[in-house]
Amino acid sequence: MKRKTLVLPAVVGLLTPLLAACGGSDGGGASGEAIIVGTTDQYTATKQEPAPLDPAYTYDTSAWNLLRQTIQTLMTQPKGEGTPVPEAAQSCSFTDKGDEQYACVLRDGLKFANGDEITAADVKYSIERSLRIDADTGVSSLLNTIETIETQGDRRVIFHLKSADATFPYKLSTPVAGVVNPKDYAKSKLRDGFQVDGSGPYTFRAQVNHGTITAVTYSRNPLYKGSLKVNNEKVELRVFKDAGSMASAIDKGDIDVMTRTMTPNQIQKLARGDDDSVELVEMSGLEIRYLAFNTDAPTVRSKAVRQAMAQVINRDALVNEVYGSQAEPLYSLVPASVVGHSNSFFNKYGDPSVAKAKSLLASAGVSAPVKLTLHYTTDHYGSATKREFEVLQKQLNDSGLFDANIQGHAWAAFRPAEQKGRYDVWGMGWFPDFPDADNFLAPFLDKNNFLGSPYSNAAIQKKLIPDSRREADRLAAAASLTLIQDDVAEDVPVMPLWQGKQYIAARNDITGTSYALNSSSVLCLWELGRGVSE
């Protein structure tokens, strides 16, 4: 077993793109033989969520990674990080000094995979559709700085923004801003089921059993025009029920690549290098885990309860016991490698202290032990999640200040329940839409936020977030970003826990694995090829 570590730049947001977006590879070339990729991510259509793959609806990294292979966006995140580069667009730029008008010119000859030509009107239709549908997942909030969209001829699109938004190019790289065919996607109605059509590097065909995807076949789209270099003819994504069965498949040679989610024990075993036929690739990542709170719920309505939890929880012990070297303690919603990060929770609470937590509760007149139920999902972030919540439960209960229980739920039930406010405290993960501090703050704290949280901070929403977005130089936004993080540490509407690394395992004839995931956990299947791995 070889273990290869890709060292990406330590500071996200200060980089100049030197390479085409996710283009190039470690070697190898296109081959007619499908590359088989395994995942434990589950994709299910239910009565509550009948349209899990509509770009106007889904706001989940695993579903987005299905879409990104087929739904083309105006911009895309570049290989090796950096600011977004044109994809369906030939060029894009702000056209005014106030960063309130953003114009894109489409590539000449763009077509959907069915041969229909793509015009500026299709781009306008697609993005206005996402805004019009305004799905309860909160995904349209990524586009909420758009006031109007103008077209000039067949190839020029102009976005008029409500206020300055230096992060807008990043937002145009997300699937909610993807270009869809009006023939396939109704103007005001979501597209139910598992059909996906677009103009990206691959066409999409799903195998479905009882409302759940079992496999997806991606075939190279011969009409694709964009910035991505496609290194294979076909990729099959196979869905496994658990990490154990996925690992068994790669051991037997039934699959070529293993993606998320592997268990900590599996990663440790692969890292030891017992099998020379499989290679483990470790990459820096921006995944975070956190606890979310329904700040209107009686059990945690008092800020003192949430602060006491922040004072008691020992992140170092949690990470060491559950994830080892595969994660790091996190003291802000913004990961340590992102420009604008501040250790606000550590600055406020310092090392864990039961005595300080007891004082917080007593000062607020809250009687201990406080009864709580911590909810988590059993099948979305990996099997280690259960162990993580067992450790959190023990830390809280050992303090004598809490009487905590834990409950696990399948993702298909968990996500709708937390959106409807049925949980007081629950655990979530966040894979960023784009690698900027704004995307670790606004989705949780702005109006119509991703969590459906009742927490509202006027200073954050009306001043600090807008102020930070006016700064094209993200270092200059640090002052506003730090104040936001300090407010979060004070009010604790969410509580960061840890920041993770990410891994891919592949058989040693597969190339391109070093760039098959970027720091935002975007799966770049076009990078994979067959040949001799480095």
Side-chain angles (χ1 to χ4, degrees):
M1 166 80 62
K2 295 179 288 181
R3 181 172 184 264
K4 178 166 63 178
T5 301
L6 174 63
V7 181
L8 293 177
V11 181
V12 175
L14 295 177
L15 309 172
T16 301
L18 301 177
L19 300 169
C22 284
S25 71
D26 289 343
S31 169
E33 182 183 356
I35 295 173
I36 313 298
V37 178
T39 180
T40 61
D41 287 337
Q42 304 295 309
Y43 310 97
T44 302
T46 65
K47 286 185 178 180
Q48 294 78 18
E49 294 186 299
L53 296 184
D54 191 313
Y57 176 81
T58 188
Y59 200 4
D60 174 74
T61 294
S62 58
W64 269 17
N65 277 335
L66 293 190
L67 296 180
R68 288 183 189 274
Q69 321 304 318
T70 299
I71 301 292
Q72 195 175 18
T73 50
L74 291 172
M75 304 289 284
T76 192
Q77 295 176 42
K79 178 177 177 178
E81 308 307 325
T83 55
V85 297
E87 166 51 355
Q90 174 182 297
S91 63
C92 288
S93 64
F94 284 103
T95 58
D96 65 327
K97 293 182 179 179
D99 287 353
E100 294 183 4
Q101 186 170 291
Y102 195 77
C104 293
V105 177
L106 300 183
R107 293 179 186 272
D108 189 23
L110 276 181
K111 293 182 179 181
F112 292 108
N114 69 353
D116 290 349
E117 292 186 1
I118 297 174
T119 68
D122 294 316
V123 175
K124 175 180 167 72
Y125 175 94
S126 301
I127 295 178
E128 287 183 343
R129 175 180 182 270
S130 291
L131 288 166
R132 182 182 299 107
I133 289 174
D134 191 21
D136 58 11
T137 56
V139 68
S140 65
S141 65
L142 285 170
L143 307 174
N144 64 9
T145 55
I146 296 175
E147 185 167 31
T148 59
I149 305 174
E150 175 188 357
T151 62
Q152 293 181 351
D154 286 341
R155 294 178 56 202
R156 186 173 173 84
V157 185
I158 303 172
F159 299 93
H160 299 276
L161 307 182
K162 300 173 184 176
S163 57
D165 187 0
T167 68
F168 190 67
Y170 284 105
K171 294 171 181 177
L172 290 182
S173 73
T174 62
V176 69
V179 185
V180 299
N181 193 331
K183 293 181 180 178
D184 299 319
Y185 293 83
K187 187 174 184 178
S188 302
K189 184 180 182 298
L190 292 170
R191 187 181 189 183
D192 292 352
F194 297 114
Q195 288 182 294
V196 179
D197 294 281
S199 56
Y202 298 100
T203 60
F204 176 102
R205 181 171 59 84
Q207 297 177 34
V208 181
N209 184 26
H210 299 295
T212 299
I213 289 180
T214 57
V216 173
T217 299
Y218 289 106
S219 299
R220 187 170 185 166
N221 174 14
L223 299 182
Y224 167 70
K225 284 191 174 184
S227 61
L228 310 176
K229 179 183 176 183
V230 184
N231 293 313
N232 56 68
E233 291 295 326
K234 184 177 292 187
V235 177
E236 181 182 329
L237 187 71
R238 292 184 186 172
V239 177
F240 291 86
K241 64 179 181 180
D242 53 47
S245 56
M246 181 170 65
S248 176
I250 201 168
D251 287 342
K252 293 186 291 185
D254 292 339
I255 63 175
D256 301 299
V257 180
M258 190 160 58
T259 60
R260 61 177 247 176
T261 304
M262 294 176 267
T263 68
N265 286 339
Q266 285 174 332
I267 292 169
Q268 291 170 9
K269 179 181 177 182
L270 290 168
R272 288 199 299 266
D274 298 334
D275 183 354
D276 288 337
S277 66
V278 180
E279 172 184 81
L280 180 69
V281 183
E282 176 189 301
M283 293 160 281
S284 59
L286 299 178
E287 171 191 4
I288 69 169
R289 296 290 174 85
Y290 60 94
L291 292 179
F293 297 91
N294 179 351
T295 53
D296 281 349
T299 57
V300 292
R301 182 182 297 142
S302 171
K303 179 171 69 174
V305 173
R306 306 192 301 270
Q307 289 179 328
M309 292 177 68
Q311 188 65 75
V312 165
I313 288 175
N314 188 325
R315 293 169 177 78
D316 285 297
L318 173 68
V319 167
N320 288 336
E321 190 164 345
V322 181
Y323 297 102
S325 62
Q326 298 156 34
E328 297 176 351
L330 183 62
Y331 296 93
S332 169
L333 284 174
V334 180
S337 56
V338 174
V339 171
H341 163 82
S342 175
N343 279 321
S344 296
F345 272 78
F346 188 83
N347 295 340
K348 180 169 180 60
Y349 300 101
D351 293 326
S353 170
V354 173
K356 289 180 180 179
K358 185 176 182 180
S359 177
L360 286 167
L361 293 176
S363 296
V366 177
S367 300
V370 178
K371 289 189 176 182
L372 297 170
T373 298
L374 277 60
H375 299 265
Y376 67 94
T377 178
T378 57
D379 60 351
H380 195 67
Y381 300 120
S383 59
T385 306
K386 179 180 179 181
R387 179 59 183 150
E388 177 181 340
F389 273 75
E390 290 171 345
V391 172
L392 287 171
Q393 178 189 30
K394 187 175 188 302
Q395 288 186 4
L396 292 170
N397 291 347
D398 283 354
S399 73
L401 303 176
F402 297 93
D403 179 7
N405 294 309
I406 59 174
Q407 287 185 10
H409 314 268
W411 179 254
F414 175 86
R415 178 64 173 140
E418 64 88 3
Q419 285 181 302
K420 294 175 182 177
R422 293 177 181 170
Y423 304 147
D424 295 359
V425 187
W426 68 101
M428 290 284 285
W430 182 252
F431 300 83
D433 310 319
F434 50 87
D436 185 275
D438 178 89
N439 193 239
F440 292 91
L441 298 171
F444 309 103
L445 305 170
D446 214 347
K447 294 178 181 178
N448 302 317
N449 61 76
F450 162 74
L451 294 172
S453 170
Y455 174 76
S456 180
N457 184 311
I460 290 176
Q461 293 175 356
K462 295 181 180 180
K463 177 172 173 53
L464 296 176
I465 289 176
D467 283 354
S468 71
R469 288 174 175 171
R470 290 189 184 97
E471 302 292 349
D473 178 353
R474 302 312 283 159
L475 274 176
S480 297
L481 296 169
T482 297
L483 289 174
I484 296 173
Q485 291 166 84
D486 289 347
D487 279 357
V488 172
E490 170 65 29
D491 294 344
V492 200
V494 288
M495 186 190 306
L497 296 173
W498 56 264
Q499 172 181 350
K501 299 175 183 178
Q502 54 186 2
Y503 300 85
I504 281 182
R507 302 197 69 81
N508 58 17
D509 65 332
I510 300 298
T511 63
T513 54
S514 293
Y515 289 102
L517 278 176
N518 69 15
S519 65
S520 299
S521 298
V522 173
L523 186 61
C524 303
L525 293 178
W526 51 86
E527 288 288 344
L528 300 175
R530 289 191 185 275
V532 179
S533 183
E534 290 181 346

